[in-house]
Every structure is written in C-alpha cells, then in structure tokens.
Amino acid sequence: MVKAEQVHKSFGHVEVLKGIDLEVKQGEVFCLIGPSGSGKSTFLRCINHLEKVNAGRLYVDGHLVGYRQQGDKLYELRDREVSLQRRDIGMVFQRFNLFPHMTALENVMEAPVQVKKQSRSEARKRAQELLDRVGLADKSSSYPSQLSGGQQQRVAIARALAMEPKLMLFDEPTSALDPELVGEVLDVMRDLAESGMTMIVVTHEMGFAREVGDSLVFMDDGVVVESGDPREVLTNPQQERTQAFLSKVL
C-alpha cells in the first residue's frame, strides 16, 4: 500500500529525513516510534504530500505521490491532482482540527458533500453511522467546545473515515489527550485495525504498538534504526540506540 524509496526531506539546511526505505502492506497496522524530532511526523506528512520530498520516491497503492515521471524526470502534480490523491488518504492529527462552528455531525458530513459531491441526506446518514461506530451517536448535535478531547479526536477519526480512504495516517493521535481519555481513542483504532484498514501510526503508546501493530519501525535522527515485529523489537531490541530509547519509555 505504501512504498518509500530513499526519501529525503530538508527544511533549509536541516536534513530531517535522510533516506527512508520502508514498505507497508495492505491491511497492515504499521507503527512508527522514536524520540521527538526524529522525522516521524514529517515522513507521515510526506505520504499525502503535505510536505514535498526533496529526493526519493513515495508510492501509495502503486501511484507516485505528488509527482508524475516522464523519462528520468519528475514533475510535480497540479494542486487539483494532488487533492485527488489525498481523497484516498485519511489523516488524524495530534490536534483535532475540527471546525468549531460546526456540530460533530456537520464536521463529519462536510468533506463528502464538498469534495465528493454527495447529497446532504446521504452524507448525513453516513456521518451518523460513523459517529455511532466511534461511540458518539448521542453527540451528533454537539459542538467541539462541548466535547472532551477524546470525543473530539473520535469525531476527527469519523471525519477522516467519511471519505472512505484506503489508507489512514495517525500522527500521535493521543498525545494531546488527558491520560484517562487515551483509551477511548485507542479502542476506536483497534476496531479499525480489526476491520482491515491499512494504518500508519506515529505513536508513543507502546502497549498499542505491541498489541495491535503488525510492523514497527524505530526512527532516530531521520533514519530507520531498527524495524520488525513490534513484540520482538520492544522486547528484544538489537540496536543500542533502540535499547536506550526503550529503556526510558517502557
């Protein structure tokens, strides 16, 4: 579903990604862990072209992301073409980014109506189903300010699912939540994983990675340091840097 080949990304003189190679299979829950500043979130943002790579190639479902190739040259796609690619990729951010002037139901309906041109009645029915799926059927008429952080993040997940993506990206979706609210969001993500959704999850929740993840990558300083089965990597890390990191977080 996702293939990265020698992906590089710099901001000015700072090289954030230094040649990332990895593959994510369809239906896989792929967890990215590592210290802050290691490049995890930047890599995630490159997958849907929110950040443009400086070198290398990224493919989603066999299609080059953000560019088309002619001969040996890459040409950046127009904004409209990039937007079409993004329709298939759902993203959930650390901060929930809900529209504050819209109810939970309206937040979930908005993209299918505006982007997919669904009828409002169809979008409303689907939005209500999705809110029910994330355990918020009784909050459809609530505004974000009336919801807890965990509830807002579950609305954000429902909103991403409303576009029926083939891939879901989660950028530390529980890091902005109070500890007692983390579980309700992780429960929704577990349910998604069990349904077969392909997910790439940047997370500090090692228990989730161990329990739900199919693959795990430890990143540091813009490179992949170690990868493998989450239970194996977390229990018996081979690299010194991985060992040092896990000794502080486990």
Side-chain angles (χ1 to χ4, degrees):
M1 180 60 77
V2 178
K3 186 175 185 181
E5 297 177 345
Q6 280 298 297
V7 171
H8 290 255
K9 174 63 184 176
S10 298
F11 294 101
H13 297 297
V14 180
E15 193 177 12
V16 179
L17 300 177
K18 303 174 181 177
I20 301 295
D21 289 299
L22 55 80
E23 287 190 24
V24 181
K25 299 184 183 72
Q26 186 169 351
E28 188 172 33
V29 179
F30 191 97
C31 296
L32 283 170
I33 65 169
S36 296
S38 58
K40 309 181 302 294
S41 294
T42 297
F43 176 70
L44 209 65
R45 292 169 65 85
C46 288
I47 292 173
N48 61 4
H49 207 59
L50 287 175
E51 300 291 354
K52 302 172 185 178
V53 302
N54 298 116
R57 285 164 170 71
L58 262 170
Y59 299 88
V60 172
D61 202 18
H63 299 287
L64 191 61
V65 173
Y67 299 90
R68 59 184 168 83
Q69 185 165 345
Q70 283 191 334
D72 294 333
K73 287 194 172 183
L74 291 181
Y75 297 90
E76 190 170 2
L77 298 177
R78 294 190 293 270
D79 288 346
R80 177 177 170 78
E81 294 170 301
V82 172
S83 295
L84 283 172
Q85 287 188 331
R86 283 198 192 117
R87 285 170 53 159
D88 292 329
I89 305 171
M91 187 160 185
V92 178
F93 300 88
Q94 293 179 39
R95 295 286 171 184
F96 327 120
N97 294 345
L98 298 177
F99 297 117
H101 62 290
M102 293 183 179
T103 64
L105 188 72
E106 289 166 343
N107 264 283
V108 179
M109 288 173 58
E110 183 69 4
V113 170
Q114 297 298 332
V115 179
K116 284 193 162 183
K117 306 305 178 188
Q118 271 187 11
S119 69
R120 292 194 69 81
S121 61
E122 184 184 353
R124 181 182 298 275
K125 181 174 180 290
R126 177 68 176 144
Q128 193 63 63
E129 289 171 356
L130 288 168
L131 287 174
D132 186 35
R133 181 175 181 181
V134 300
L136 292 173
D138 59 335
K139 298 292 184 182
S140 60
S141 58
S142 298
Y143 289 89
S145 61
Q146 298 170 316
L147 301 173
S148 71
Q151 290 170 335
Q152 289 186 61
Q153 192 61 295
R154 284 187 280 155
V155 174
I157 293 172
R159 181 178 61 178
L161 291 174
M163 290 295 287
E164 300 181 339
K166 59 180 72 169
L167 169 68
M168 284 283 283
L169 309 177
F170 292 88
D171 187 7
E172 297 185 25
T174 59
S175 65
L177 300 178
D178 292 333
E180 67 268 23
L181 302 177
V182 168
E184 63 190 51
V185 174
L186 293 181
D187 285 345
V188 171
M189 293 170 66
R190 281 189 190 92
D191 175 65
L192 268 185
E194 287 170 8
S195 75
M197 174 65 74
T198 309
M199 298 161 61
I200 303 179
V201 185
V202 172
T203 185
H204 294 297
E205 300 291 339
M206 300 303 156
F208 175 85
R210 183 188 288 110
E211 179 191 342
V212 183
D214 298 301
S215 298
L216 181 140
V217 158
F218 171 68
M219 283 179 65
D220 188 35
D221 196 27
V223 299
V224 171
V225 176
E226 190 163 349
S227 62
D229 180 278
R231 288 148 290 279
E232 183 64 30
V233 174
L234 294 173
T235 305
N236 187 28
Q238 300 300 301
Q239 301 299 318
E240 212 171 287
R241 181 66 189 94
T242 318
Q243 293 167 7
F245 173 77
L246 290 175
S247 70
K248 293 173 183 169
V249 300
L250 288 177

